[in-house]
Amino acid sequence: MTIPPRIILRHLAFTGPDVGEAHLDFDMGLNLLFGASNTGKSFAGKVLDFMLGSSRPLPDIPEREGYDRAWLGMTLPSDDDVTLTRALAGAAFELHSGFVSSSFAGRNVRSLSAKHDHTNEDNISQLLLTELGLGGKQIAVDANGKKRSLSFRDLTKHCIVDETTIQSEGSPVESGQYTTIAAERSVFKLLLTGVDDSAVVPIVDKRVFKTQTSAKLEVLDEMIAGLDERIAADYPDAGGLNDQSTKLEDTFASFQNELVIAHTSVREGLTKKRDLVVRLTQSQGRRGEIELILARFEQLAQVYKSDIARLEAVEEAGFLLMLGSDKDCPLCGAPPEAQHHDHGLSGIEEARQAALVEIEKISKQHRSLAETVSDLHAERAKLDTLLESLSRALSLAETQLEQLTPAATETRQRVDELSTIRDRVNKGLSLLAQRLSLQARREELAALKPAGKADKPRLGVSSTTAHAFAQTVSQVLEEWQFPGKRHVSFDEQTYDLRIDGKQRKDNGKGVRAITHAAFKVALLLFCRERGLPHPGFLVLDTPLLTYRDPIRSKAGPLSADEQELRNTSVRDFFFEHLASLRNTAEFIIIENVDPPAGIEKLARTEVFTGDTQSGRFGLFPTAQAPT
């Protein structure tokens, strides 16, 4: 079996700026804090409760003057040693890693709220519940199954029992407040079974059901009346709305189809027009380019003609000069064969030949240019024909669009008019549908009946579990040698014990105290033996009240059953039994009566003498200490 998680209390300390530290250490197993009255024993128990999230202010006694902070060292189920610190004035906590005090504040400090919040990990309740494996648990708070999240404060009443509670006539499970009975019993069931109330489906209380139903019916009636007024005012012919809607839908569908056709025709016409405009623009651009090219080619043809004329003149001049080259020299009369200089005739011939070659070259370019110009004139003629055709087609497309647009516009207007009428009719039909829905809801709500007793969830502890727990209490009483047959049963009406047929509350204070202690010890053992979550420690203030001084004690004289118990050795067996559970749990017993001899061998013992000259006076190092 897996060892269930538990919290181990290690030390409790008090500090202040100008006072010495007051310190208590605790061990696993049995711890005994006893001694004289008014030495601070019960105050220490209240501070333990305070350090585990209690919102009750601590007693404002003179002895705590100068002390402003309490420190509680613990070992958590995760095996982490931590120290909680809190101002004695209350409010939030600080969580320190390791065992620390005012002399060493520690580096790893985490702030924790004192208020429980299951949605936030940064509060003391959720931290401890998570460590115990109880985070997110739900408990029922009334007989109808209404739920809330479990708080660690729900558990502390089962592990810290003060002097008033331990001797009260009430159930050890309950605080005595009527409004908290269901929640307290749910917590007890959770401890005994490990099962919370998450699966419980709440039902509505009969009186609440009637109130809520009446209120809902009233609201529905008002809404229906409001719809009736609107329908009467806006739709006097409401009975014919369905037929009107059917006809409108048919007409609307027909017009909608016409509108689609018209829009398609207009869209196609616009596309055709756009294509024609593009082609017309491109053709006009090309014709302009041809005109520009022809003008430039005309200039080039003139250049060619000019060049040919110039070259022909050069060739002709050379020819004429060469005609007189074989005659007598006009200057000296010498015959050609007697002449010794040719006067550049060879150069003239070369120039003439070059001119002839160039003339041929330019003539060829001129002929090619003429062919190109002819082609351009032909292309221009075709473009002129195409432009005329495109212009006629564009005019026709524009004429067709002018004819289609009014028809499409008219159809659009008719569709819009029908849409307005149809929307009004549909709104009327919607109002009628709302009224029909509200009326159906009203009839359904009026037919509902409140949940009966058989519908309520079965909360609390089952008879089988209660019997098993009662046997554990019986075993504890056996260990303590409690007088009688120690036959224990659990009363499911009072959530308390019957011991040997007698209600526990019907005994004297001292017997109620020891049996309350047995109840809480048995609960701890029951959980540990079955691997169920429990804080794992128990603080009991004055469980051995029976052994009080009947004269000096404020509890008054002993009753007959208390006297019978006082005459037994229950006190000795009580301590021996708790000491034997060293490996199972931690017990802190606060007592006024003297413990049995040799108690130091069984328990870590802290004695408050109440004497400034002998031993430790009390919780605080003062002449007087609180009770």
Side-chain angles (χ1 to χ4, degrees):
M1 181 182 65
T2 303
I3 299 176
R6 63 182 178 185
I7 298 169
I8 304 173
L9 306 182
R10 297 298 189 181
H11 73 260
L12 177 65
F14 302 86
T15 60
D18 300 315
V19 292
E21 179 179 316
H23 197 94
L24 285 175
D25 288 318
F26 306 114
D27 289 342
M28 275 298 297
L30 179 59
N31 297 269
L32 176 60
L33 182 61
F34 81 101
S37 298
N38 301 321
T39 53
K41 303 184 302 299
S42 294
F43 184 81
K46 288 182 173 64
V47 175
L48 287 174
D49 191 35
F50 176 78
M51 292 302 292
L52 292 173
S54 173
S55 60
R56 293 182 180 179
L58 293 170
D60 189 14
I61 40 86
E63 290 76 12
R64 54 174 275 195
E65 184 177 352
Y67 292 91
D68 61 1
R69 190 180 297 269
W71 306 72
L72 178 62
M74 302 185 296
T75 299
L76 299 176
S78 57
D79 288 332
D80 291 335
D81 293 331
V82 298
T83 301
L84 281 171
T85 180
R86 189 183 190 189
L88 296 181
F93 292 81
E94 285 182 348
L95 180 68
H96 300 256
S97 178
F99 297 139
V100 301
S101 64
S102 60
S103 60
F104 176 69
R107 296 181 180 178
N108 300 322
V109 181
R110 175 182 173 189
S111 295
L112 296 173
S113 171
K115 185 177 181 180
H116 170 72
D117 181 0
H118 71 282
T119 65
N120 186 350
E121 292 293 329
D122 291 329
N123 60 85
I124 183 65
S125 174
Q126 197 63 20
L127 169 72
L128 298 178
L129 288 176
T130 301
E131 286 283 342
L132 292 172
L134 292 171
K137 298 296 184 181
Q138 298 279 313
I139 57 171
V141 297
D142 63 22
N144 297 312
K146 181 181 177 181
K147 296 175 290 187
R148 67 165 171 81
S149 62
L150 177 71
S151 166
F152 190 76
R153 297 305 305 165
D154 295 316
L155 304 182
T156 52
K157 62 173 57 70
H158 296 289
C159 55
I160 300 179
V161 186
D162 61 31
E163 184 177 9
T164 301
T165 301
I166 204 168
Q167 57 184 281
S168 71
E169 295 182 1
S171 162
V173 173
E174 301 168 0
S175 61
Q177 300 295 321
Y178 175 78
T179 56
T180 61
I181 289 177
E184 289 164 343
R185 293 186 176 187
S186 295
V187 173
F188 183 57
K189 187 261 294 186
L190 170 60
L191 289 173
L192 288 181
T193 64
V195 180
D196 70 345
D197 295 320
S198 298
V200 173
V201 178
I203 64 169
V204 180
D205 180 76
K206 187 174 182 179
R207 287 186 301 176
V208 174
F209 174 85
K210 290 182 178 179
T211 301
Q212 291 179 345
T213 302
S214 297
K216 290 177 181 178
L217 288 173
E218 184 177 349
V219 171
L220 287 173
D221 287 338
E222 290 178 357
M223 294 175 68
I224 292 172
L227 286 174
D228 287 340
E229 290 179 3
R230 290 182 61 186
I231 293 171
D234 298 338
Y235 302 93
D237 57 342
L241 286 177
N242 282 316
D243 292 339
Q244 188 177 358
S245 175
T246 301
K247 294 177 181 179
L248 279 171
E249 289 298 331
D250 293 340
T251 305
F252 184 82
S254 176
F255 282 170
Q256 189 77 2
N257 186 50
E258 290 181 13
L259 182 62
V260 170
I261 294 173
H263 281 173
T264 301
S265 299
V266 170
R267 185 164 54 251
E268 291 174 351
L270 289 172
T271 301
K272 182 178 180 181
K273 178 182 178 180
R274 182 171 58 253
D275 293 341
L276 289 171
V277 169
V278 170
R279 292 180 62 194
L280 187 61
T281 301
Q282 290 175 344
S283 298
Q284 288 173 341
R286 178 57 182 165
R287 192 184 187 289
E289 291 176 359
I290 291 174
E291 290 290 343
L292 181 61
I293 293 171
L294 287 173
R296 291 177 179 175
F297 280 3
E298 180 64 29
Q299 293 176 358
L300 182 59
Q302 294 299 324
V303 171
Y304 284 165
K305 291 177 180 180
S306 175
D307 288 346
I308 291 172
R310 177 177 55 78
L311 290 170
E312 287 177 343
V314 171
E315 187 275 332
E316 184 179 355
F319 175 76
L320 292 175
L321 288 173
M322 290 299 296
L323 289 176
S325 61
D326 59 348
K327 297 181 178 181
D328 295 339
C329 177
L331 296 178
C332 63
E337 61 272 11
Q339 296 176 12
H340 302 291
H341 300 286
D342 58 12
H343 299 290
L345 291 176
S346 62
I348 291 172
E349 178 63 20
E350 290 176 358
R352 192 180 71 82
Q353 292 296 327
L356 288 173
V357 172
E358 189 65 24
I359 287 171
E360 179 61 26
K361 178 181 177 181
I362 293 175
S363 295
K364 187 182 291 186
Q365 291 175 342
H366 189 220
R367 289 193 297 273
S368 176
L369 179 62
E371 292 176 359
T372 302
V373 169
S374 177
D375 292 341
L376 288 173
H377 278 294
E379 184 181 354
R380 183 176 64 181
K382 291 181 179 179
L383 284 173
D384 287 341
T385 301
L386 178 61
L387 286 171
E388 184 179 355
S389 174
L390 290 173
S391 295
R392 286 197 303 270
L394 181 59
S395 297
L396 179 61
E398 289 176 341
T399 300
Q400 290 175 343
L401 280 174
E402 289 175 357
Q403 294 173 350
L404 289 172
T405 301
T409 302
E410 182 181 353
T411 304
R412 174 77 266 176
Q413 291 175 349
R414 293 169 71 183
V415 169
D416 289 342
E417 291 172 358
L418 280 176
S419 294
T420 301
I421 298 172
R422 188 181 68 161
D423 289 344
R424 178 182 178 278
V425 171
N426 287 340
K427 184 177 180 180
L429 291 174
S430 176
L431 292 175
L432 290 175
Q434 289 181 40
R435 190 193 185 287
L436 186 63
S437 176
L438 291 175
Q439 184 63 38
R441 174 60 181 151
R442 190 196 185 287
E443 293 173 0
E444 179 184 350
L445 189 62
L448 290 177
K449 295 182 179 179
K453 291 183 178 180
D455 299 314
K456 291 187 176 182
R458 295 184 180 180
L459 304 174
V461 181
S462 68
S463 299
T464 303
T465 302
H467 177 73
F469 171 69
Q471 301 317 300
T472 303
V473 177
S474 179
Q475 292 169 11
V476 170
L477 294 178
E478 181 75 26
E479 292 286 347
W480 296 355
Q481 293 297 295
F482 187 82
K485 296 180 180 180
R486 297 180 283 275
H487 175 73
V488 180
S489 61
F490 187 82
D491 190 324
E492 296 181 24
Q493 296 298 319
T494 64
Y495 263 62
D496 207 339
L497 302 174
R498 283 182 177 271
I499 304 174
D500 292 338
K502 184 178 182 181
Q503 289 276 6
R504 191 192 66 86
K505 68 181 183 63
D506 294 334
N507 291 287
K509 294 180 180 179
V511 178
R512 292 199 298 269
I514 194 65
T515 51
H516 187 128
F519 188 105
K520 294 298 173 62
V521 170
L523 176 60
L524 191 158
L525 295 179
F526 188 92
C527 293
R528 301 300 292 177
E529 290 169 359
R530 288 163 176 76
L532 300 171
H534 186 285
F537 65 86
L538 181 58
V539 180
L540 299 173
D541 191 349
T542 325
L544 300 173
L545 182 66
T546 299
Y547 293 88
R548 67 186 183 274
D549 185 329
I551 298 177
R552 298 180 180 180
S553 173
K554 58 185 178 182
L558 299 176
S559 62
D561 54 354
E562 288 181 294
Q563 186 61 56
E564 179 185 0
L565 181 61
R566 181 184 174 88
N567 294 334
T568 69
S569 298
V570 166
R571 176 184 59 179
D572 299 344
F573 290 112
F574 169 83
F575 285 118
E576 289 178 6
H577 179 235
L578 298 187
S580 71
L581 301 174
R582 175 180 301 274
N583 297 325
T584 301
E586 178 181 17
F587 301 96
I588 299 175
I589 308 302
I590 300 171
E591 265 299 349
N592 293 322
V593 300
D594 292 335
I599 188 63
E600 295 81 5
K601 297 178 181 179
L602 301 176
R604 181 183 185 95
T605 305
E606 193 73 49
V607 182
F608 293 166
T609 65
D611 185 351
T612 57
Q613 305 299 319
S614 175
R616 178 171 180 172
F617 175 83
L619 179 61
F620 297 99
T622 56
Q624 291 182 341
T627 59

